[in-house]
Amino acid sequence: MMDNQDDGVPNRSDSVQLSRRAKDKLNGTRARNQGARKSEITRARILDAAAEVFMEKGYALARIGDIAKKAGTQPSSIYYYFDSREAVVEEVLSIANNRTDRSVRRAIEALHKTADLRARITAAIHGQVDSVLSGDPYTAAHMRIFDQIPPKMREHFLRILDENAELWRALLFEAQQNGLLRPEIDISVARLLLFGMMNWSIEWYKPGRMTPDDVAEQVALLFLDGTFVRDR
Amino acid sequence: MMDNQDDGVPNRSDSVQLSRRAKDKLNGTRARNQGARKSEITRARILDAAAEVFMEKGYALARIGDIAKKAGTQPSSIYYYFDSREAVVEEVLSIANNRTDRSVRRAIEALHKTADLRARITAAIHGQVDSVLSGDPYTAAHMRIFDQIPPKMREHFLRILDENAELWRALLFEAQQNGLLRPEIDISVARLLLFGMMNWSIEWYKPGRMTPDDVAEQVALLFLDGTFVRDR
DNA sequence: AACAATTTCGAATATGATTTCGAAAAAATT
DNA sequence: AATTTTTTCGAAATCATATTCGAAATTGTT
């Protein structure tokens, strides 16, 4: 269903975690063997299945057997590719982070050079909301399970999330410098509230009545101008 | 620490779930015995402890042993008061729902009769945000574990949440009828986005720099007027 | 076709948690 | 003080799942 050929993971041979066993084999005999990627496909299938199961069941209720079943394999086979259940989660989240970050950047870059801040912020919102609501199991799983994962992993990804947030900080800071924001607004709080609107949307959004872009439009409208009509 | 004498649970003898054993005893011999409430205190202590543990660890990582320890008792003792781990969770969430609903209603009722819609919405926001960020373990636990609980319970509480939302729907509908809202706004989406801002805040809020009321003020500002300065 | 490496799988293991149970302790009642 | 009821607790039973392991099957190489 959902493929994951290119997820922005920078350097596959670094980022991919093979089990101890597979690693030993690979290093031991012939390191530069290209045929070894035959069943990277299975690996990807397991990750895809994991993302879907996490999206559907959350972290705690996602049995490793569920993942295996959806991937069409056995629980024990998963351990050929991953050291542990946690390692699977970790990679799913990592891929999700990359996808979301890329979605936001792409949306901004698709704009004309001349686009003003209002347009850039709006584009960024569309990028983020699309990523959350597109139906991609990775990004959906990310939103669903993020606060269910073990503390250590959570901290790790909080750091990554914070790095990605730099883009948003810069946007809002620039808007403030240019006098575009109402003076009562605290931009660091506003940014977090904006994330609340966007990320929480997965809790209630159901495809049908509205597209993700429709939702994004409402978010942008609300964030920039609020709901109340202007005086006079 | 946190007590729970009166949580708005309408009819204690109905709402409280005793274990099969305790129930049998009670019905069998003397139903209208008032002395039986001696150790309702323990029951409350267990609930308080559970709320704290759920708040701190989430649903999956909250062991029944953790709850027992924090309550100063044994795991097996908890089963004297509750049929299962789930029954504990269910009551914690039920109490949390009542508290939040009450917090919102109280904030509105504290207003003058003459208060306009803008003031009423602002008050409601303060009530909700206070409830989420006040540090009450019940409401905090609710936000933290809601999407981690088993599907069946989740549906149950979604229904309750939806009933409580009626108050918000009415507020926004009235605002719309009075022509106070910008026409592009979809009030059902706006309401959900507002909830996103408020409920997600527990993910990032740390006491110190801002009070819950400070946060609520920013939420109200953003929701009503947006972040951008008005044209001209 | 023979050989070597990779991948799959079923069975066994290990671990950790909820829950049950019956007896002991504490509290209330007579 | 004796008796009954309520409450606590430790030990065991139960259950579920992640993980390991070695052997089989598959795939790739010469």
Side-chain angles (χ1 to χ4, degrees):
Chain A
M1 201 129 251
M2 218 23 110
D3 67 306
N4 63 346
Q5 350 83 359
D6 169 23
D7 293 298
V9 180
N11 184 347
R12 186 120 232 176
S13 53
D14 279 2
S15 67
V16 160
Q17 293 187 11
L18 288 174
S19 71
R20 269 159 303 187
R21 222 157 119 206
K23 242 185 267 171
D24 293 350
K25 299 278 176 70
L26 233 47
N27 295 336
T29 39
R30 37 165 81 168
R32 51 186 167 58
N33 175 6
Q34 62 142 21
R37 75 188 54 245
K38 162 61 181 61
S39 187
E40 285 282 295
I41 297 167
T42 305
R43 203 191 134 84
R45 212 173 52 231
I46 292 171
L47 281 172
D48 288 350
E52 284 178 35
V53 174
F54 287 132
M55 168 181 73
E56 288 162 12
K57 304 208 180 195
Y59 178 73
L61 270 43
R63 311 276 159 240
I64 211 139
D66 300 330
I67 296 172
K69 195 172 182 183
K70 184 160 287 202
T73 181
Q74 292 319 106
S76 51
S77 296
I78 291 180
Y79 289 87
Y80 180 73
Y81 295 99
F82 300 91
D83 281 344
S84 67
R85 185 172 176 264
E86 281 197 19
V88 179
V89 180
E90 190 156 345
E91 193 156 336
V92 168
L93 291 183
S94 171
I95 290 170
N97 270 323
N98 289 330
R99 289 191 181 182
T100 298
D101 193 47
R102 223 173 4 152
S103 173
V104 173
R105 288 181 193 283
R106 271 218 282 250
I108 296 177
E109 283 162 13
L111 254 37
H112 272 308
K113 296 287 169 199
T114 62
D116 64 4
L117 262 171
R118 199 183 167 93
R120 301 223 302 282
I121 291 173
T122 302
I125 289 173
H126 276 265
Q128 175 84 16
V129 173
D130 273 0
S131 173
V132 174
L133 301 185
S134 65
D136 179 338
Y138 287 84
T139 49
H142 180 281
M143 290 300 146
R144 175 91 199 264
I145 73 179
F146 188 78
D147 61 355
Q148 309 178 23
I149 62 181
K152 226 187 129 112
M153 212 192 313
R154 192 181 152 97
E155 278 164 40
H156 169 64
F157 282 109
L158 273 178
R159 232 170 293 128
I160 291 175
L161 240 29
D162 191 63
E163 286 168 25
N164 293 349
E166 193 48 43
L167 186 155
W168 294 89
R169 282 198 203 89
L171 277 177
L172 292 180
F173 182 71
E174 192 179 342
Q176 192 177 47
Q177 293 298 305
N178 292 13
L180 296 176
L181 300 189
R182 326 172 89 235
E184 315 94 294
I185 292 291
D186 178 323
I187 57 171
S188 67
V189 175
R191 180 175 59 81
L192 293 162
L193 296 178
L194 174 58
F195 271 106
M197 287 196 268
M198 298 190 295
N199 293 346
W200 183 267
S201 67
I202 201 172
E203 297 285 334
W204 53 265
Y205 177 76
K206 292 284 172 295
R209 191 168 82 87
M210 309 185 86
T211 65
D213 274 325
D214 291 334
V215 175
E217 196 186 316
Q218 290 284 316
V219 172
L221 203 60
L222 205 163
F223 181 71
L224 298 172
D225 300 318
T227 55
F228 265 50
V229 291
R230 299 163 183 225
D231 312 329
R232 203 95 2 195
Chain B
M1 200 127 254
M2 214 31 105
D3 68 307
N4 63 346
Q5 349 83 0
D6 169 23
D7 293 299
V9 180
N11 184 348
R12 186 120 232 178
S13 53
D14 278 3
S15 67
V16 161
Q17 294 187 10
L18 288 175
S19 71
R20 269 159 303 186
R21 223 156 118 205
K23 241 185 268 172
D24 293 348
K25 298 279 175 70
L26 232 48
N27 295 336
T29 39
R30 38 168 78 174
R32 51 185 168 56
N33 175 6
Q34 63 141 21
R37 76 187 53 246
K38 162 63 180 61
S39 187
E40 284 283 294
I41 296 166
T42 305
R43 203 190 134 85
R45 213 175 51 233
I46 292 171
L47 281 172
D48 288 350
E52 284 177 37
V53 173
F54 287 131
M55 167 181 74
E56 288 162 11
K57 304 205 179 197
Y59 177 74
L61 270 42
R63 310 278 159 235
I64 212 141
D66 299 331
I67 297 172
K69 195 170 180 184
K70 183 160 289 200
T73 181
Q74 291 319 105
S76 51
S77 295
I78 292 180
Y79 288 87
Y80 179 72
Y81 295 97
F82 300 92
D83 281 343
S84 65
R85 184 172 176 264
E86 280 196 20
V88 178
V89 180
E90 191 157 344
E91 193 156 335
V92 167
L93 291 183
S94 172
I95 290 170
N97 270 322
N98 289 331
R99 289 191 181 182
T100 297
D101 193 48
R102 221 170 7 149
S103 172
V104 173
R105 288 181 194 282
R106 272 217 283 248
I108 295 176
E109 283 161 13
L111 255 35
H112 273 307
K113 296 286 170 201
T114 62
D116 63 4
L117 262 172
R118 198 184 167 92
R120 301 222 302 283
I121 291 173
T122 301
I125 289 172
H126 277 265
Q128 175 83 17
V129 173
D130 272 1
S131 173
V132 174
L133 301 185
S134 65
D136 180 339
Y138 286 84
T139 49
H142 180 279
M143 290 300 146
R144 175 91 199 263
I145 73 179
F146 188 79
D147 61 354
Q148 309 177 25
I149 62 182
K152 228 188 130 110
M153 211 193 314
R154 192 182 153 96
E155 279 163 40
H156 169 64
F157 282 110
L158 274 177
R159 231 171 294 128
I160 291 176
L161 240 27
D162 190 63
E163 286 167 26
N164 292 350
E166 192 50 42
L167 184 154
W168 294 89
R169 282 198 204 88
L171 277 177
L172 292 180
F173 182 71
E174 191 179 342
Q176 191 177 50
Q177 293 298 304
N178 291 13
L180 297 176
L181 300 190
R182 326 174 87 234
E184 314 93 294
I185 293 291
D186 179 322
I187 58 171
S188 68
V189 176
R191 180 175 58 81
L192 293 162
L193 295 179
L194 174 58
F195 272 106
M197 287 196 269
M198 297 190 294
N199 292 347
W200 183 267
S201 67
I202 201 172
E203 297 284 335
W204 54 264
Y205 177 77
K206 293 283 172 294
R209 191 167 82 87
M210 309 185 86
T211 65
D213 274 325
D214 292 334
V215 175
E217 195 186 315
Q218 290 285 315
V219 172
L221 203 60
L222 204 164
F223 181 71
L224 298 171
D225 300 317
T227 55
F228 266 49
V229 292
R230 299 162 183 225
D231 313 327
R232 201 109 0 190

